Amino acid sequence: MITYSWIIAVIPLLAFVLLLAFGNRMKERAAWIGVTALGLAFLMALKVLAEVLAGAQAAASFEWLKIGSYTIDMGFQVGALEASMMVVVTAVSLMVQLYSMGYMHGDPRFNRYYMTVNLFTTGMLGVVIADNFLLFLMSWEIMGLCSYLLISHYYEDLNNAKAGMKAFLTTRVGDVGMMAGIWLLFSQAGSFNFADIAVWVENASGSENIITLAALLLFAGAVGKSAQVPLHVWLPDAMAGPTPASALIHAATMVAAGVYLVAKSYFIFQASPDAMFVVAVIGALTAFLAATIATVQVDLKKVLAYSTVSQLGFMMLGLGVGGYTAALFHLITHAFFKALLFLGAGSVIHAVHTQNMHEMGGLFKKMKITGTTFIIGSLALAGIPPFAGFYSKDMILLEAYRYNEVLFWIGAAAAFMTAYYMTRAIILTFFGKPRDMEKYEHAHESPLNMSIPLMFLAIPATLLGYGMYRDYFVKSFITLPGLTHAYHSDFVMNMAISVAVAGIVVGFIVYGTNWVSKTAAIRNLKPLYVLLKHKYYFDELYNGVVVKGTVGISRLVGWFDKWIVDGLVNFVGWSTGQLSRLTRTFDTIVVDGAVNGTAALTMAAGNQVRKLQTGVVQSYMLVLFAGVVIGLIIFQLIGG
Amino acid sequence: MNLPYLSLLIFVPLAGAVLVLFLNEKQHATIRTVATFIAAIPVVLVGMMWAQWDYSAVGMQFTEYHEWIPSLGIAYRLGVDGMSFAMLALTAFIGLIAVIASYGIEKRVKDYYALLLLLLAGINGVFVALDYVLFYVFWELVLVPMYFLIGIWGGPRREYAAIKFFIYTMVGSVIMLVGILALYLQTGAQTFGILELQQLGAELPSNWQWGIFLAMFIGFAVKVPIVPLHTWLPDAHVEAPTPISVILAAVLLKMGTYGFLRISHPTFPEIAQSFAYVLAILGVINLIYGALAAMAQDDMKKLVAYSSVSHMGYTLLGLAAATVTAVNGVVYQMVSHGLISAMLFLMVGVIYDRTHTRDMRKLGGFYITMPIAGGILAFAAFANLGLPGLSGFIAEFFVLLGAYAVYPNLVYISLIGLVLTAAFNLWMLQKVLMGQPKLEWEGLPDINKRELITLVPLMALTLLFGLVPSILMNLINTPVSELVARLGGM
């Protein structure tokens, strides 16, 4: 089975093609194509994982292109990391497609949605199993396309269209950097293949600067895709898409691809301590900034979006401090509990038709399944043992502590806020008095095809962390040769649990009791509150400088082109016409002397032209032939 | 089969043009059928040639030689290598599509098709000629029908656009002619053979080489077009009828790049090397300036025209870098841009035929008004912005990959162009396709069968060349490697 792992990536592509061909005619039954395909893919991925657990590995490639003397191969490789990721991706995609049958019911673009989700899944699986940067990049960009299409799914509203464009362009900024990194590596190693490049890195003593540059260029792509500061601005806006798509793409899988990229090219990063430091700092900064912004969001999906940005920051932090296993462990657990949270949020939105938490409240009574599973997901995210997120986050903090205490404390602060904002979200959504009675009255638990995926996802959100952590399994499974792990530290573990509990307690005090006046709090913390509400003014800065600047420059170029460049051309044309009239006689004499075989043809054309429109062309022609003669004379003079 | 394929590729459309003139002006359907049949013959011929192609052969294939004016060394020399064959195949394919896309033309149908076929004959001639005189005759032959096709069947400002096009390219080609004559006279070789003069040209004194190189360069630069010699292009495009825009963007612009590849660079490799950095900078300017200008347009057709200017920048940068990967990318780009720009211009035509406007501020909501057309336009725009899996990505990726080894800093600057290209394409999609459908465009018919017949093959090839690039790359790799070796590149 494992030698045919690539089929798993092709299955959703087949589903895409089938949906393209027949989907519209099948109406909403089309969803079954996707669900069946992903069910099959998921089972195959499980089988592959089982084989990997038994010690198998596979890789294969074929010659794709010969260019010059280079041979470019396309191929896949499957080991522990790839097999685990395939299970994660197919599982989440399957759950999302199942869930979407209910959530997307009645959508006029139902089929387009399913097509895009399936194409996306192929792209993500391609990223997972690629054995070279080229296939990786191609799959990566396919994901970008699908992300764009899904964010702008409700394109009737131009704001959604703009959100899609913003996502594509922001990630594009990172992607072009990544491409440059790939070119740089190719120019050194002569190959796109991970293995070949690893060999080059190993033997490239004295090229530390090149390696650092390559690592940072690749990291630019990761920063864009994984929404790290300063390219994080697109992800919260990406929430404009259908919620299950957000769950799959903008929470569980695609946004984690940046983390995966760094992990896949870890051999490059490891060779450059400087690059590792940059990754760690960006990760920590992102984890912290996004968590602070999440505390003041009123849109349930936006809370989760900033939470995703923050958690991706944790993963980057983990990678940067050398915690390869920890980061990927967190990537896997996060995929499940974040998908669960997003689908739960979708279930709530489906019930109350609003995303604003101030219009919710008290929903737990009406939505027991959604509420319970959402709380499970939140506990996992907050890092409360024994839920999944605890183990992986603890491992990251442990690695950070070993690397640099400042980064550890930043991470711990972010973890505190994570617990706080999730408590806030749960209380505002599910508890307290309903703040919008009309919406509350209409609320109801979602249909089974939506709640079953929630229950399924709650299982890994609860058990997966301990399951993978037990006997230090994850440390020997998802690892690299020569990797050392931080030793267990009671201090770090106690700290991780304490900040999470503290976050929940503070959240409860602020939102679950009347002990703190929120208006007074906001009044006293006004500058901070405004700063957070404006998300540190990143969007204002980018809109004001980058977007407006580019549009302004483009207008300027457009004007310059029309009035200066073309104006000059028209002026030359006009003055030549004038000149030719003045010197017509002279020209005729000169030209008659010089015209030969070629001239006959062009003269004929000139005559035609004159008959058709105007006599000016002929005059031009005469000047031109004068030009030929003069040119020849000049040549003769130069050549001597 | 052993046919004089190259002569047939020139004379079948030429004879077809004459044949069309003998048809009854009133019977539009007959004229169209005959023209379609004639335009289909080159596709068959090219297919037969491809089947017999010798991928490993160095040098020209399907050569033909006949004495013409022996006293001056002028002869009927034809031949193709992989690069020119790729262009021939593109021309045959685009030619047929343009003929089918012209079914909507109702004005002076007979003249129109005669000129169109004449144009195709001329273009084929340029790509197969191995004699300077022949090359120049075909080069000029392209100009004349193009002038009339824009000038008679064009939009409101067709006269201005046609004259501008004519004079611009005329100035360019006359300067080129000076270069050719100087080359002939200075080498004293008594031959106009392009390949023969390649050997001799490099032996001329350096100042002569420079002069001739620059003269030819200007001639080709106008066709490419290289900024700031590009302003004929947007006007010509905007005024030209859709099928003519298709040919102009898809094939005609490639004559300029082809000139570099076939003539100026191999003939004066040392000069080309010295000139490379300037050419690279010009390429980057084209890339970024074109993209910025495209972004500033409200007219959809102008946007696509400036997008062409931007995309031809890659060919200049790649050629300047002169590495195998980059130059392969250049030829790939010539084909790929041919397919993608054709799609875009056809789509502009589809929308214009229905709405009679190209002003994107007036359009909007076409995803809903015309869902299939909207999907195809989105496909074309993503192909245009270099989405992996489609041909444009392969071309641009390898151009920049190859250029990175030589001019890393210029490549970093061109990255801005990559982002801008994505920006103006997506912006176009947003303005044309998204938002609420507008009342005034309600009930417009979606794309029709004839339009689909022209578009679907282009989409299929864009996808095919994006996924299986070896089909095309194997064809061009050998001549490109040869050229790069001559240019002293890697």
Side-chain angles (χ1 to χ4, degrees):
Chain A
M1 181 63 233
I2 188 167
T3 46
Y4 298 103
S5 308
W6 57 271
I7 293 176
I8 299 172
V10 175
I11 290 174
L13 184 65
L14 285 177
F16 165 79
V17 173
L18 287 175
L19 287 165
L20 180 66
F22 309 110
N24 277 336
R25 258 168 283 169
M26 292 175 69
K27 300 269 175 345
E28 297 195 2
R29 274 172 303 162
W32 285 108
I33 292 181
V35 171
T36 314
L38 260 295
L40 192 65
F42 174 61
L43 290 177
M44 288 171 74
L46 279 180
K47 178 76 173 57
V48 168
L49 182 63
E51 288 177 26
V52 170
L53 283 168
Q57 278 196 3
S61 62
F62 67 94
E63 184 191 311
W64 185 61
L65 183 62
K66 261 208 168 76
I67 183 162
S69 51
Y70 298 111
T71 305
I72 294 165
D73 292 337
M74 279 287 163
F76 77 97
Q77 58 183 37
V78 174
L81 174 62
E82 292 81 6
S84 316
M85 285 295 290
M86 281 205 287
V87 172
V88 173
V89 172
T90 51
V92 177
S93 181
L94 173 63
M95 288 303 132
V96 162
Q97 296 203 37
L98 204 58
Y99 177 96
S100 302
M101 293 168 93
Y103 189 89
M104 297 303 286
H105 172 66
D107 190 285
R109 290 187 283 277
F110 190 87
N111 186 45
R112 180 187 130 128
Y113 170 84
Y114 268 89
M115 272 166 58
T116 317
V117 167
N118 279 288
L119 184 61
F120 163 81
T121 310
T122 291
M124 185 71 204
L125 291 170
V127 162
V128 168
I129 63 171
D131 75 342
N132 64 80
F133 273 116
L134 190 56
L135 180 58
F136 189 98
L137 175 70
M138 292 171 76
S139 312
W140 174 277
E141 296 278 325
I142 295 299
M143 291 196 301
L145 165 73
C146 295
S147 165
Y148 161 86
L149 291 174
L150 286 166
I151 296 168
S152 54
H153 183 82
Y154 305 113
Y155 47 65
E156 286 90 344
D157 183 349
L158 273 182
N159 286 324
N160 300 338
K162 283 177 190 155
M165 187 166 153
K166 179 175 176 181
F168 196 93
L169 292 181
T170 313
T171 49
R172 182 88 177 169
V173 171
D175 289 355
V176 296
M178 173 180 164
M179 281 194 234
I182 295 174
W183 299 327
L184 173 58
L185 289 169
F186 188 89
S187 73
Q188 299 294 326
S191 170
F192 295 118
N193 208 288
F194 294 137
D196 295 341
I197 294 172
V199 170
W200 171 77
V201 170
E202 228 167 85
N203 301 320
S205 54
S207 316
E208 282 78 11
N209 288 338
I210 296 177
I211 293 176
T212 302
L213 180 62
L216 291 178
L217 286 168
L218 290 177
F219 185 57
V223 167
K225 210 65 151 187
S226 287
Q228 301 292 293
V229 172
L231 296 180
H232 64 289
V233 291
W234 66 272
L235 187 58
D237 289 34
M239 298 303 127
T243 305
S246 309
L248 175 64
I249 296 177
H250 305 118
T253 57
M254 184 190 82
V255 288
V259 176
Y260 192 75
L261 166 63
V262 177
K264 268 281 186 179
S265 41
Y266 212 54
F267 54 90
I268 303 171
F269 285 85
Q270 278 178 312
S272 165
D274 292 344
M276 289 287 268
F277 182 70
V278 171
V279 173
V281 169
I282 293 279
L285 205 62
T286 306
F288 182 81
L289 291 183
T292 57
I293 299 172
T295 58
V296 298
Q297 293 297 310
V298 294
D299 181 319
L300 179 58
K301 276 183 82 178
K302 290 252 164 111
V303 174
L304 294 179
Y306 279 105
S307 149
T308 304
V309 174
S310 172
Q311 296 303 307
L312 293 166
F314 266 104
M315 295 172 209
M316 286 297 183
L317 170 63
L319 287 172
V321 299
Y324 174 86
T325 306
L328 291 167
F329 185 21
H330 198 53
L331 194 170
I332 292 168
T333 57
H334 176 263
F336 287 108
F337 64 70
K338 192 48 76 61
L340 168 62
L341 286 170
F342 262 100
L343 293 184
S347 176
V348 170
I349 294 163
H350 194 66
V352 295
H353 299 291
T354 177
Q355 298 180 194
N356 187 340
M357 294 190 294
H358 290 309
E359 296 171 12
M360 300 175 184
L363 289 171
F364 191 81
K365 265 174 254 152
K366 293 217 161 181
M367 307 180 74
K368 290 241 163 48
I369 299 174
T370 303
T372 312
T373 52
F374 195 90
I375 292 170
I376 291 174
S378 303
L379 290 169
L381 173 57
I384 298 293
F387 295 95
F390 163 72
Y391 296 94
S392 48
K393 198 184 283 181
D394 177 53
M395 248 175 105
I396 290 178
L397 288 173
L398 185 63
E399 299 283 0
Y401 185 69
R402 181 178 69 157
Y403 180 82
N404 180 323
E405 278 196 37
V406 177
L407 294 178
F408 164 76
W409 285 110
I410 295 174
F416 165 78
M417 278 179 290
T418 308
Y420 168 79
Y421 65 68
M422 283 318 291
T423 309
R424 169 180 178 263
I426 289 171
I427 294 173
L428 286 179
T429 307
F430 291 107
F431 298 101
K433 283 211 189 76
R435 283 173 295 275
D436 186 327
M437 277 320 283
E438 198 186 333
K439 291 204 162 84
Y440 179 79
E441 294 297 332
H442 284 100
H444 53 85
E445 184 57 90
S446 296
L448 275 183
N449 50 17
M450 289 172 69
S451 55
I452 287 176
L454 295 179
M455 293 186 274
F456 264 117
L457 287 168
I459 299 169
T462 313
L463 300 176
L464 190 65
Y466 179 68
M468 286 183 75
Y469 192 73
R470 207 171 58 110
D471 302 332
Y472 301 107
F473 164 72
V474 68
K475 290 190 183 177
S476 58
F477 189 56
I478 295 180
T479 186
L480 290 175
L483 213 60
T484 58
H485 293 289
Y487 292 105
H488 176 77
S489 151
D490 281 336
F491 167 72
V492 171
M493 190 181 73
N494 292 337
M495 205 45 155
I497 299 174
S498 312
V499 293
V501 172
I504 293 174
V505 171
V506 174
F508 181 77
I509 292 172
V510 176
Y511 289 92
T513 68
N514 291 326
W515 302 348
V516 181
S517 158
K518 273 172 284 283
T519 41
I522 289 173
R523 197 170 51 242
N524 291 330
L525 296 171
K526 188 93 188 184
L528 182 64
Y529 181 75
V530 172
L531 183 68
L532 293 182
K533 270 285 179 194
H534 282 93
K535 301 165 282 189
Y536 298 98
Y537 295 94
F538 273 102
D539 275 314
E540 284 84 347
L541 180 73
Y542 291 168
N543 276 330
V545 179
V546 182
V547 177
K548 288 234 171 71
T550 309
V551 172
I553 292 172
S554 92
R555 294 251 162 82
L556 195 68
V557 167
W559 178 88
F560 177 79
D561 198 68
K562 190 170 175 185
W563 297 108
I564 308 296
V565 181
D566 205 27
L568 201 65
V569 171
N570 285 332
F571 176 75
V572 171
W574 175 83
S575 41
T576 317
Q578 297 300 319
L579 189 73
S580 76
R581 268 185 208 113
L582 285 174
T583 59
R584 174 165 295 180
T585 339
F586 170 73
D587 283 344
T588 316
I589 294 163
V590 176
V591 168
D592 280 348
V595 163
N596 44 31
T598 342
L601 179 74
T602 15
M603 283 292 283
N607 284 332
Q608 288 293 336
V609 168
R610 188 175 55 183
K611 259 186 263 165
L612 188 76
Q613 336 270 2
T614 158
V616 183
V617 167
Q618 200 197 17
S619 320
Y620 280 119
M621 302 287 302
L622 302 182
V623 175
L624 287 177
F625 276 93
V628 176
V629 175
I630 295 164
L632 278 173
I633 293 167
I634 293 172
F635 263 111
Q636 208 59 48
L637 290 176
I638 303 174
Chain B
M1 255 197 293
N2 207 357
L3 294 171
Y5 286 100
L6 303 183
S7 291
L8 286 174
L9 281 169
I10 298 168
F11 288 104
V12 165
L14 202 61
V18 177
L19 177 68
V20 165
L21 286 176
F22 285 104
L23 297 174
N24 186 342
E25 168 68 46
K26 295 278 182 301
Q27 289 174 321
H28 291 180
T30 317
I31 299 172
R32 284 171 192 146
T33 314
V34 170
T36 310
F37 181 71
I38 292 163
I41 295 175
V43 178
V44 176
L45 290 173
V46 163
M48 291 165 73
M49 286 172 72
W50 205 326
Q52 302 172 36
W53 193 260
D54 182 351
Y55 284 92
S56 55
V58 173
M60 295 293 161
Q61 306 190 27
F62 297 98
T63 49
E64 293 176 34
Y65 180 88
H66 299 286
E67 293 287 332
W68 188 8
I69 311 176
S71 58
L72 293 173
I74 303 171
Y76 181 79
R77 298 177 172 93
L78 306 182
V80 284
D81 62 5
M83 292 191 289
S84 33
F85 181 67
M87 290 300 109
L88 273 187
L90 179 70
T91 312
F93 185 68
I94 294 290
L96 179 58
I97 284 176
V99 165
I100 297 172
S102 302
Y103 284 6
I105 302 271
E106 297 288 347
K107 179 177 164 188
R108 296 173 66 180
V109 177
K110 202 166 81 173
D111 298 345
Y112 176 87
Y113 276 107
L115 285 167
L116 182 54
L117 291 171
L118 184 63
L119 178 67
L120 295 178
I123 298 170
N124 282 340
V126 167
F127 291 137
V128 301
L130 289 180
D131 182 280
Y132 273 109
V133 173
L134 209 53
F135 177 82
Y136 189 76
V137 167
F138 285 124
W139 185 274
E140 295 295 294
L141 182 61
V142 168
L143 200 52
V144 179
M146 200 67 193
Y147 171 80
F148 290 111
L149 285 166
I150 298 173
I152 298 176
W153 287 271
R157 291 175 73 224
R158 54 180 179 263
E159 293 167 13
Y160 169 76
I163 292 176
K164 193 169 176 181
F165 164 79
F166 191 85
I167 292 178
Y168 235 126
T169 39
M170 194 68 216
V171 172
S173 48
V174 167
I175 296 173
M176 179 178 88
L177 178 63
V178 174
I180 292 173
L181 293 177
L183 177 63
Y184 173 76
L185 295 173
Q186 281 306 310
T187 52
Q190 293 299 310
T191 174
F192 273 99
I194 289 176
L195 300 178
E196 288 82 350
L197 286 173
Q198 249 179 33
Q199 304 307 320
L200 300 170
E203 289 161 16
L204 287 178
S206 155
N207 52 350
W208 273 102
Q209 289 198 40
W210 266 108
I212 299 169
F213 178 87
L214 288 177
M216 290 175 166
F217 176 80
I218 291 171
F220 301 139
V222 170
K223 268 283 192 318
V224 169
I226 296 180
V227 174
L229 304 176
H230 65 286
T231 55
W232 63 271
L233 182 74
D235 283 312
H237 268 309
V238 166
E239 300 308 325
T242 301
I244 303 307
S245 277
V246 168
I247 291 189
L248 184 57
V251 193
L252 231 63
L253 302 188
K254 311 305 179 296
M255 285 166 52
T257 333
Y258 178 76
F260 293 142
L261 292 167
R262 170 70 63 233
I263 293 183
S264 60
H265 275 62
T267 310
F268 305 106
E270 280 173 28
I271 307 300
Q273 274 170 28
S274 316
F275 191 66
Y277 196 62
V278 177
L279 188 62
I281 289 173
L282 288 173
V284 175
I285 291 175
N286 252 52
L287 222 162
I288 293 177
Y289 185 93
L292 282 169
M295 199 185 260
Q297 304 305 319
D298 291 317
D299 184 319
M300 198 174 164
K301 211 171 182 185
K302 265 200 174 156
L303 181 146
V304 180
Y306 278 107
S307 155
S308 290
V309 173
S310 176
H311 279 89
M312 295 317 283
Y314 289 99
T315 63
L316 305 177
L317 180 59
L319 189 59
T323 58
V324 254
T325 36
V327 180
N328 268 308
V330 168
V331 183
Y332 214 92
Q333 174 78 335
M334 288 160 69
V335 176
S336 162
H337 176 261
L339 301 171
I340 295 168
S341 61
M343 272 192 289
L344 284 167
F345 278 116
L346 286 171
M347 281 316 299
V348 173
V350 165
I351 291 173
Y352 183 78
D353 286 347
R354 287 162 177 73
T355 62
H356 302 290
T357 183
R358 289 182 304 255
D359 189 336
M360 292 188 286
R361 290 166 298 188
K362 293 186 187 150
L363 302 171
F366 275 79
Y367 260 143
I368 292 172
T369 320
M370 298 162 60
I372 298 174
I376 296 175
L377 179 62
F379 179 93
F382 272 97
N384 200 33
L385 69 76
L387 186 78
L390 305 175
S391 59
F393 169 77
I394 303 288
E396 290 162 21
F397 186 83
F398 281 107
V399 165
L400 293 172
L401 171 78
Y404 187 89
V406 186
Y407 305 116
N409 292 329
L410 289 180
V411 170
Y412 288 131
I413 297 171
S414 1
L415 296 181
I416 301 168
L418 259 67
V419 177
L420 292 175
T421 308
F424 74 73
N425 277 293
L426 293 184
W427 209 5
M428 172 183 78
L429 292 185
Q430 183 185 313
K431 286 193 259 192
V432 177
L433 300 179
M434 302 194 186
Q436 286 289 351
K438 294 198 172 160
L439 277 179
E440 49 191 315
W441 310 130
E442 208 173 312
L444 285 181
D446 204 339
I447 200 156
N448 63 35
K449 264 211 189 96
R450 180 176 58 78
E451 289 161 338
L452 276 179
I453 288 171
T454 59
L455 281 157
V456 170
L458 289 167
M459 292 167 73
L461 281 186
T462 309
L463 189 65
L464 183 68
F465 290 153
L467 294 175
V468 197
S470 53
I471 298 175
L472 190 55
M473 211 65 103
N474 288 345
L475 198 59
I476 60 182
N477 200 12
T478 310
V480 164
S481 305
E482 220 182 314
L483 173 64
V484 168
R486 193 166 167 77
L487 292 174
M490 287 180 280

